[in-house]
Amino acid sequence: MASVFCLRNVIFRGTCNVNSTKFLVLKSVANHSRSLSISSINCNDVEFDLVVIGGGSGGLAAAKEATTLGAKVAVLDYVTPSPLGTKWGLGGTCVNVGCIPKKLMHQAALLGESIQDAKSYGWQFPQAENIRHDWETLKDAVQAHIKSVNWVTRVELRDKKVEYINGLGTFVNANTVSATTKQGERTLTAKYFLIAVGGRPRYPDIPGAVEYGVTSDDIFSLQKEPGRTLVVGAGYIGLECAGFLKGLGYDATVMVRSVVLRGFDQQMAHIVTAAMQDRGVNFLFKCKPKKIEKLDNGQLKATWVNEVNEEFTDVFDTVLFAIGRRALTRELKLENAGVKVAGDGEKIDAVNEQSNVPHIYAVGDVLYKKPELTPVAIHAGRLLSRRLFGNGAATMDYDNVATTIFSPLEYGAVGLSEEEAVKRFGEDKVEIYHAYYKPTEFFIPQKNISHCYLKVVAMRDGEQKVLGMHFIGPQAGEVIQGFAAAIKCNLTVNALMGTVGIHPTIAEEFTRINITKRSGKDPNPASCCS
Ligand code: FAD
Ligand code: NAP
């Protein structure tokens, strides 16, 4: 028998263990401020301990952890085809139409750059002038890799005895989910439900957007090469896609509505933009799309307006919308379960991943005001399962999550931006260390070093606790990852300066910081080894 009931400010989480021995876990969550209704279900009547809706990063991580802890788990996953008809297999956004294909295409673009660098290092390409990239080869290789991951994921679920149901989940009531599968409807009951449905790209509400535009759902499997591409949106996806498309040899233009990388340190965002412009990516600032039309020759005519409503047009082969993503909650019929959505009407505002209905949880991109990142979804999912089915007490810490924008010159960041630190603590309390640096690898090919820049945001007093670290340069993700762990351990500027670097690397530049913005001193390096 199990009961799941919740009183204001105190959650009683009753659960059966998988051997049906009854035990009760009592947890007090002091800041759980919602008024919660009491609901209870009988453990013996339910088919599963946990039903996960959404087989992506968060859902799969939670499901696998739960079965490892002995729970009986089912995962529902269903991909609705994109308006262009693109669909994919098990594993969610990251594996199929997100991080993985993006990183592979980014790598393809970087290799193109390396071929140019290689000539300066003595590599000879007898047919150098004829070097060109073949889209179909790359697309096929990327898709083959994705299919292999889909397969491995299915095998892993089978081995771990997670029941995978290829069906669209909707709530019938708070204790029942219906799965629509090719074979028909199936009803599932469970003690706990986990909503991990992620999101899908938005389209702007303009004529021709859905008919003729593509999104990140389509770009990695595009049958014909993208050609001259307009990318609408200057967030993560816009910059990354425009970056690799240009690197593969296609003309790429980014349309920016307000600012590039809103929410990020804006000085860093400007440098990322400049580095992309330096590589030939075009930017249309303060512009919004108005309509997309198809020409007789198959090309797309885009019309847009600037901030004073002046109209412009140009012709492209592909228009890619990268204007953010909507959470897939509408399709879930949350109202049948009584699960409330937050301010924007789509996302779930959970406390420790628990929705307003105590036995219904949510992780990943579907959560309100939480980073939309794969490792965030995975970590939160795992911790949740440990709390539900193990003896875990740890909750997800959404602060100081490191991230990287895989633009041609990458930008990695962890912690606060300069603006956010000043807003929170005041300008006189914050110290900014910064430096330009010269990657050794750039010398021989004489690559532009003017965008290789880093910044440490710290408290001004005492040992100067580090609040944020920002790095633009090659392998920024690899550089920032280790420092993210250091920040978790309360890194200080003193400790950073007391760290002996690894020479010659670019990550060591963080250990060499000594110039504050306030000092007005030149942050340009004198030599590589000074
Ligand atoms: P998802 O992985 O989206 O999984 C949700 C699954 O649920 C999907 O398979 C969906 O089809 C399914 N589903 C939806 N509704 C239902 C339903 N009703 N019934 C059954 N199944 C349903 N993050 C990073 O950390 N690093 C990156 O480099 C990175 N790059 C990205 C690049 C792109 C182009 C995109 C789009 C995203 C990128 N992300 C990246 C973000 C990352 O992919 C997401 O944060 C992550 O996938 C979210 O995981 P999730 O479990 O919340 O949802
Ligand atoms: P995003 O980062 O939120 O950026 C959306 C962009 O589109 C913004 O520049 C926004 O401009 C613009 N925009 C929004 N509505 C628009 C409209 N109607 N017309 C024109 N422009 C519009 O979203 P995203 O790039 O789609 O990425 C979604 C999420 O996926 C990200 O938040 C990120 O967490 C995740 N992701 C992560 C990675 C990574 O880790 N490397 C990579 C890709 C994606 P404004 O600023 O003016 O609103």
Side-chain angles (χ1 to χ4, degrees):
M1 201 206 78
S3 59
V4 179
F5 54 95
C6 185
L7 300 175
R8 190 180 176 88
N9 292 339
V10 181
I11 298 172
F12 298 89
R13 254 192 222 123
T15 174
C16 307
N17 75 3
V18 276
N19 300 322
S20 284
T21 317
K22 191 177 143 190
F23 69 96
L24 198 72
V25 182
L26 172 60
K27 281 194 175 170
S28 169
V29 180
N31 62 354
H32 198 279
S33 57
R34 297 189 185 92
S35 173
L36 294 162
S37 62
I38 298 173
S39 66
S40 67
I41 54 169
N42 189 328
C43 220
N44 292 326
D45 298 341
V46 297
E47 197 182 346
F48 293 97
D49 295 302
L50 175 69
V51 165
V52 178
I53 313 172
S57 309
L60 290 175
K64 288 187 275 186
E65 189 71 17
T67 50
T68 305
L69 293 164
K72 189 178 175 202
V73 181
V75 171
L76 277 65
D77 191 61
Y78 182 81
V79 178
T80 309
S82 77
L84 196 72
T86 314
K87 52 186 184 196
W88 50 89
L90 176 63
T93 302
C94 178
V95 165
N96 292 285
V97 286
C99 335
I100 301 303
K102 180 275 307 290
K103 185 79 189 287
L104 295 173
M105 293 208 169
H106 172 63
Q107 172 65 7
L110 291 183
L111 284 172
E113 210 171 297
S114 296
I115 290 171
Q116 299 309 322
D117 297 353
K119 290 185 206 159
S120 321
Y121 279 98
W123 287 100
Q124 293 179 8
F125 302 93
Q127 306 280 311
E129 289 73 37
N130 296 331
I131 287 181
R132 63 176 293 275
H133 182 263
D134 180 52
W135 172 261
E136 201 174 337
T137 305
L138 173 64
K139 183 258 298 172
D140 288 348
V142 167
Q143 291 304 315
H145 174 70
I146 291 170
K147 301 250 162 9
S148 75
V149 179
N150 296 149
W151 171 251
V152 169
T153 309
R154 285 185 79 142
V155 171
E156 208 183 354
L157 289 187
R158 197 187 58 205
D159 289 350
K160 286 192 177 275
K161 306 216 172 358
V162 174
E163 185 168 350
Y164 162 54
I165 301 165
N166 183 203
L168 182 76
T170 50
F171 279 99
V172 177
N173 57 46
N175 300 314
T176 316
V177 156
S178 164
T180 308
T181 70
K182 273 189 192 152
Q183 293 75 37
E185 292 287 318
R186 176 169 166 193
T187 298
L188 299 109
T189 53
K191 275 175 278 177
Y192 302 114
F193 292 92
L194 178 60
I195 300 168
V197 292
R200 292 292 285 271
R202 290 179 196 277
Y203 289 79
D205 188 13
I206 57 164
V210 179
E211 293 91 324
Y212 309 125
V214 298
T215 67
S216 52
D217 281 356
D218 312 299
I219 190 74
F220 306 111
S221 58
L222 218 54
Q223 290 305 315
K224 63 171 184 54
E225 60 175 350
R228 185 164 199 247
T229 303
L230 171 65
V231 178
V232 181
Y236 277 86
I237 298 177
L239 296 191
E240 291 180 341
C241 290
F244 74 66
L245 288 173
K246 182 65 199 170
L248 297 178
Y250 304 110
D251 184 274
T253 300
V254 180
M255 188 179 290
V256 189
R257 181 172 69 172
S258 57
V259 292
V260 172
L261 291 177
R262 183 158 55 82
F264 281 87
D265 189 293
Q266 280 301 297
Q267 185 194 4
M268 304 307 280
H270 281 122
I271 298 174
V272 170
T273 309
M276 288 182 69
Q277 286 172 319
D278 187 48
R279 283 167 171 75
V281 177
N282 311 309
F283 281 81
L284 298 167
F285 294 103
K286 305 265 184 216
C287 291
K288 281 188 300 192
K290 193 172 172 194
K291 63 179 171 190
I292 313 295
E293 296 160 287
K294 193 162 194 166
L295 303 176
D296 290 343
N297 67 0
Q299 285 190 298
L300 301 174
K301 182 176 157 194
T303 305
W304 66 91
V305 290
N306 66 9
E307 57 187 331
V308 291
N309 228 19
E310 286 170 320
E311 212 168 279
F312 302 86
T313 63
D314 203 348
V315 175
F316 299 89
D317 299 302
T318 301
V319 176
L320 174 87
F321 293 109
I323 63 164
R325 296 167 64 79
R326 75 168 190 89
L328 294 178
T329 47
R330 206 186 304 144
E331 295 81 346
L332 275 176
K333 299 193 181 152
L334 291 177
E335 62 284 3
N336 291 347
V339 175
K340 291 189 185 132
V341 283
D344 61 4
E346 289 176 341
K347 295 205 163 190
I348 297 169
D349 190 7
V351 178
N352 294 327
E353 294 78 42
Q354 188 175 38
S355 80
N356 62 301
V357 179
H359 65 284
I360 302 181
Y361 294 80
V363 291
D365 285 7
V366 80
L367 287 178
Y368 186 58
K369 291 197 171 163
K370 299 289 189 293
E372 293 177 21
L373 296 169
T374 276
V376 171
I378 292 174
H379 204 70
R382 273 198 199 127
L383 291 179
L384 174 65
S385 283
R386 285 177 201 161
R387 295 200 301 280
L388 293 178
F389 302 107
N391 296 320
T395 52
M396 176 70 191
D397 178 4
Y398 290 94
D399 283 339
N400 291 328
V401 172
T403 184
T404 289
I405 290 131
F406 294 94
S407 40
L409 202 56
E410 298 172 6
Y411 166 32
V414 57
L416 300 187
S417 63
E418 183 174 345
E419 296 90 331
E420 186 57 31
V422 167
K423 196 168 119 196
R424 280 195 205 176
F425 302 106
E427 203 167 352
D428 55 335
K429 297 275 192 309
V430 172
E431 195 75 275
I432 308 294
Y433 289 86
H434 68 156
Y436 285 94
Y437 65 93
K438 298 177 182 172
T440 312
E441 297 82 352
F442 280 28
F443 286 127
I444 286 181
Q446 295 185 12
K447 290 178 75 159
N448 184 353
I449 54 157
S450 66
H451 307 118
C452 295
Y453 179 75
L454 59 84
K455 183 192 271 194
V456 177
V457 181
M459 295 303 289
R460 190 171 294 178
D461 59 352
E463 296 208 324
Q464 302 196 311
K465 183 175 162 44
V466 175
L467 304 170
M469 296 176 81
H470 303 263
F471 182 92
I472 294 178
Q475 305 292 342
E478 311 298 338
V479 171
I480 280 291
Q481 182 65 84
F483 290 110
I487 284 191
K488 270 244 168 235
C489 303
N490 295 318
L491 179 67
T492 62
V493 169
N494 274 3
L496 201 53
M497 287 177 171
T499 303
V500 178
I502 304 170
H503 190 67
T505 65
I506 45 176
E508 75 172 318
E509 301 296 341
F510 269 127
T511 67
R512 290 154 52 106
I513 50 151
N514 61 78
I515 294 174
T516 63
K517 268 197 178 176
R518 193 160 51 107
S519 72
K521 285 188 190 158
D522 182 3
N524 284 295
S527 78
C528 81
C529 312
S530 58

